[in-house]
Amino acid sequence: MKVDVVIPVYHPGKLFLELLSRLRRQTCPVHRFIIMNTEKQLWEDWAVTLPAGALPENLSVFHVTKEEFDHGGTRDFGIRQSEAEVCVCMTHDALPADTHLLEQLTEALFSREDVAVSYARQLPRKECGVIERYTRSFNYPQESRIKTKEDLPRLGIKTYFCSNVCAAYRRDRYLELGGFIRHTIFNEDMIFAAKAVEQGYGIAYAADALVIHSHNYSPVEQFKRNFDLAVSQADHPEVFAGIRSEGEGIRLVKETAGYLLKNKRAYLLPRLVCDSGFKYMGYLAGKRYRHLPRLVIRRCTMNRNYWREKHV
């Protein structure tokens, strides 16, 4: 079975080389690396500095400009360049934790006939803060599962949860379902997963497929990220209308606070309150972005280029 890996890249460096190196050592070999690079000159200036053999021979690079880059459309273009049975989407700042990542993802993807996508468990980096470390364990537990439409009453929006930080797609079903939405600020993975669930397919969470990925966002960055998250939900009421996500956020805050108290980290509670407040304010602003002036929107978002063609 052929497995291709699609990776959007901007400003490639040592971390990207480490990602390629770890992917080349996988027990499930990569048939082809499909790189969606933003800004051709940045890639060329970097590539000429590399020693011979630093990049795999089975690597194809496609270039887009910063203005052309789109979370959904750019990844969709990459998958459509593939002829493999499985396409794995990754980000260039994520690293396989071991040599079995692709094997475990593929195994989960074909564990049942109704599965359309499988996604990996994200582990925190060594330098990850305590609060973000707990958030990773909350969103990516140790137990694998397959989510279907029957889980909606109990899991709500988490039924659709999926992450293109590291996710494997059955290419035939990806194409059958129309692929990622072409123009979106964020959340192309969840929007696709929701479409798959509504069509009767399952979303597999592969807890044994381990990838290292985390961020130490500042409160302002938390605000902007949740603003964009809420914009994606406001733009797609066909997916998110009637499914509240605030409850899951409240549960995360409560459980994180309990974890900090239990582990004698009460001094981090003010940071938790601050981060949570900025997240919620960003979420509320994003939900109501159509009522905001364009200048304010551009200050609230992480993805300014998205708004160049967006009519508010």
Side-chain angles (χ1 to χ4, degrees):
M1 184 176 297
K2 294 178 181 178
V3 176
D4 287 349
V5 180
V6 179
I7 311 173
V9 174
Y10 179 58
H11 272 297
K14 291 182 178 179
L15 189 60
F16 176 59
L17 284 179
E18 178 63 20
L19 168 59
L20 293 179
S21 174
R22 294 193 186 196
L23 286 173
R24 293 167 82 177
R25 300 197 300 269
Q26 291 289 301
T27 54
C28 175
V30 177
H31 173 256
R32 185 179 173 209
F33 294 91
I34 299 173
I35 308 303
M36 299 302 304
N37 174 68
T38 301
E39 297 299 338
K40 183 177 181 180
Q41 195 61 50
L42 290 175
W43 177 276
E44 292 180 344
D45 291 345
W46 172 73
V48 297
T49 67
L50 300 177
L55 298 177
E57 293 183 1
N58 58 337
L59 182 144
S60 302
V61 184
F62 301 89
H63 301 285
V64 298
T65 65
K66 286 181 71 174
E67 292 73 24
E68 292 170 333
F69 176 82
D70 177 79
H71 282 279
T74 300
R75 287 179 169 89
D76 179 77
F77 180 89
I79 290 177
R80 291 177 188 274
Q81 306 314 302
S82 169
E83 295 180 352
E85 291 89 348
V86 177
C87 288
V88 176
C89 287
M90 294 192 70
T91 54
H92 77 273
D93 61 343
L95 295 175
D98 56 34
T99 59
H100 299 280
L101 172 66
L102 299 184
E103 177 186 342
Q104 294 290 349
L105 277 177
T106 306
E107 189 173 295
L109 189 60
F110 289 90
S111 61
R112 271 183 14 192
E113 183 57 32
D114 63 341
V115 174
V117 54
S118 62
Y119 66 100
R121 179 183 175 196
Q122 295 184 30
L123 303 177
R125 301 184 189 279
K126 291 181 180 179
E127 66 274 16
C128 182
V130 173
I131 294 175
E132 176 62 17
R133 188 174 293 273
Y134 183 79
T135 300
R136 279 285 173 270
S137 67
F138 180 88
N139 288 326
Y140 300 94
Q142 296 182 14
E143 299 80 23
S144 298
R145 68 174 305 153
I146 295 177
K147 300 174 290 183
T148 66
K149 189 182 292 188
E150 285 69 34
D151 293 303
L152 277 169
R154 184 167 53 88
L155 295 180
I157 198 169
K158 291 207 78 171
T159 308
Y160 302 149
F161 186 73
C162 179
S163 176
N164 272 343
V165 165
C166 188
Y169 295 83
R170 282 187 57 162
R171 189 170 175 275
D172 56 350
R173 291 185 176 163
Y174 176 88
L175 297 176
E176 172 196 333
L177 292 166
F180 297 133
I181 188 167
R182 305 302 188 277
H183 185 59
T184 183
I185 191 169
F186 198 46
N187 249 8
E188 79 290 338
D189 36 25
M190 282 187 68
I191 293 169
F192 176 86
K195 183 163 48 176
V197 167
E198 289 303 316
Q199 292 298 314
Y201 289 115
I203 311 301
Y205 167 57
D208 294 328
L210 305 177
V211 64
I212 301 169
H213 179 263
S214 61
H215 293 286
N216 287 322
Y217 285 131
S218 69
V220 172
E221 289 171 329
Q222 299 277 21
F223 176 97
K224 291 184 175 183
R225 188 176 188 279
N226 279 267
F227 178 88
D228 290 350
L229 173 69
V231 167
S232 74
Q233 294 187 10
D235 280 350
H236 296 282
E238 75 282 3
V239 174
F240 299 104
I243 300 180
R244 291 178 60 85
S245 58
E246 291 95 327
E248 191 66 16
I250 293 170
R251 187 166 76 91
L252 171 60
V253 174
K254 288 181 176 179
E255 293 195 12
T256 305
Y259 171 81
L260 294 176
L261 290 171
K262 182 179 179 180
N263 290 275
K264 300 180 180 180
R265 301 290 183 95
Y267 63 89
L268 289 173
L269 287 173
R271 178 60 190 264
L272 173 64
V273 172
C274 179
D275 284 352
S276 302
F278 272 81
K279 284 181 181 180
Y280 191 54
M281 287 189 294
Y283 180 81
L284 290 179
K287 278 285 192 178
R288 297 159 177 78
Y289 81 89
R290 292 185 179 89
H291 303 289
L292 301 176
R294 182 174 289 269
L295 179 62
V296 173
I297 290 174
R298 288 180 60 81
R299 290 182 177 276
C300 290
T301 184
M302 269 189 168
N303 298 279
R304 290 192 170 192
N305 285 324
Y306 173 77
W307 301 96
R308 291 178 181 270
E309 300 177 7
K310 178 74 175 178
H311 300 290
V312 181

